[in-house]
């Protein structure tokens, strides 16, 4: 089993602090990845956008715990936390826990999580158009992740990582 864990802590210690956290992870085999991300809004007018996407296959396991804490003095904070997950196997597992802890009363905050499987109708639609099952799966998986790649501020890095991710998807199989 390959085990990885990442702990990220961000503190908005100044007014108008802004953070964008975008993460994606692709797991297969018996990999286990554990992501914990905490954002502390201590001052007013802060902004956080956190988007995490995960695809798990085989017997892999993903854990996500995202926490945004809005302190009493952090009025006018805008914070969003989204965790979207895709299961490619009945034996894969995803545990997700997005959290908001809010002590200020003039804020706009939202959080959510989804866990789903590849849409069988979308897979069927592509296959009826002559796309092989394996290529259709790669297309659907890549579409799920590509939005975060598009958000990368470094275009050269985004172009470098796209073929690596496509190749990884080609190796993953929906079961």
């Amino acid at each position: 089993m390959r085990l990885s864990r990442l702990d990220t802590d961000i503190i908005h210690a100044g007014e108008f602090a802004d953070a964008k956290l975008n993460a994606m992870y692709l797991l297969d085999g018996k990999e286990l990845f554990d992501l914990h991300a905490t954002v502390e809004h201590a001052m007013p007018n802060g902004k956080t956008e956190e988007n995490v996407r995960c695809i798990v296959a085989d017997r892999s396991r993903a854990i996500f715990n995202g926490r945004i804490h809005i302190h009493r003095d952090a009025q006018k904070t805008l914070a969003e936390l989204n965790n979207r997950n895709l299961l490619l196997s009945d034996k894969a597992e995803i545990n997700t826990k997005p959290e908001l802890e809010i002590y200020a009363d003039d804020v706009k905050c939202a959080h959510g999580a989804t866990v789903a499987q590849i849409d069988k109708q979308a897979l069927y639609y592509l296959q009826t158009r002559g796309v092989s099952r394996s290529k259709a799966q790669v297309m659907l998986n890549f579409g799920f992740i590509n939005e975060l790649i598009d958000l990368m501020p470094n275009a050269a890095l985004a172009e470098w990582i796209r073929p690596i991710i496509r190749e990884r998807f080609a190796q993953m199989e929906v079961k």
Side-chain angles (χ1 to χ4, degrees):
M1 174 186 292
R2 222 171 101 199
L3 169 64
S4 301
R5 178 167 172 151
L6 176 63
D7 290 304
T8 302
D9 296 306
I10 296 173
I11 299 172
H12 288 290
E15 190 170 4
F16 297 103
D18 189 353
K20 289 181 175 51
L21 293 92
N22 294 311
M24 60 186 128
Y25 40 108
L26 319 170
L27 307 174
D28 63 359
K30 292 183 179 179
E31 293 177 306
L32 169 60
F33 184 71
D34 188 359
L35 174 61
H36 290 249
T38 301
V39 179
E40 299 282 344
H41 281 270
M43 299 298 286
N45 298 299
K47 184 177 179 183
T48 296
E49 293 176 39
E50 184 173 353
N51 293 292
V52 178
R53 302 273 171 100
C54 176
I55 297 180
V56 295
D58 298 325
R59 295 178 176 270
S60 60
R61 186 170 169 219
I63 300 166
F64 172 71
N65 182 231
R67 180 174 172 266
I68 297 177
H69 179 195
I70 314 296
H71 294 255
R72 183 171 294 126
D73 294 332
Q75 302 297 333
K76 308 271 187 224
T77 292
L78 174 60
E80 293 185 17
L81 167 61
N82 291 298
N83 177 227
R84 296 183 184 147
N85 304 280
L86 192 58
L87 288 168
L88 300 186
S89 164
D90 291 338
K91 294 187 173 31
E93 184 178 330
I94 296 172
N95 296 299
T96 179
K97 186 180 174 196
E99 301 176 45
L100 288 176
E101 188 173 343
I102 303 170
Y103 295 99
D105 55 8
D106 187 9
V107 300
K108 289 183 182 178
C109 298
H111 71 302
T114 60
V115 178
Q117 295 178 322
I118 283 184
D119 183 344
K120 303 279 187 219
Q121 288 180 327
L123 189 60
Y124 176 76
Y125 175 85
L126 290 170
Q127 289 179 284
T128 61
R129 278 25 184 201
V131 178
S132 71
R133 181 178 177 82
S134 60
K135 286 192 183 208
Q137 289 173 216
V138 169
M139 291 170 67
L140 293 170
N141 288 339
F142 191 75
F144 181 75
I145 292 288
N146 195 47
E147 180 182 355
L148 290 186
I149 296 172
D150 285 343
L151 293 174
M152 294 175 88
N154 184 324
L157 179 60
E159 289 310 307
W160 175 80
I161 202 166
R162 276 191 173 95
I164 294 170
I165 291 174
R166 276 192 205 106
E167 179 61 30
R168 180 79 190 254
F169 284 142
Q171 297 168 0
M172 298 171 106
E173 186 178 331
V174 177
K175 294 180 182 174

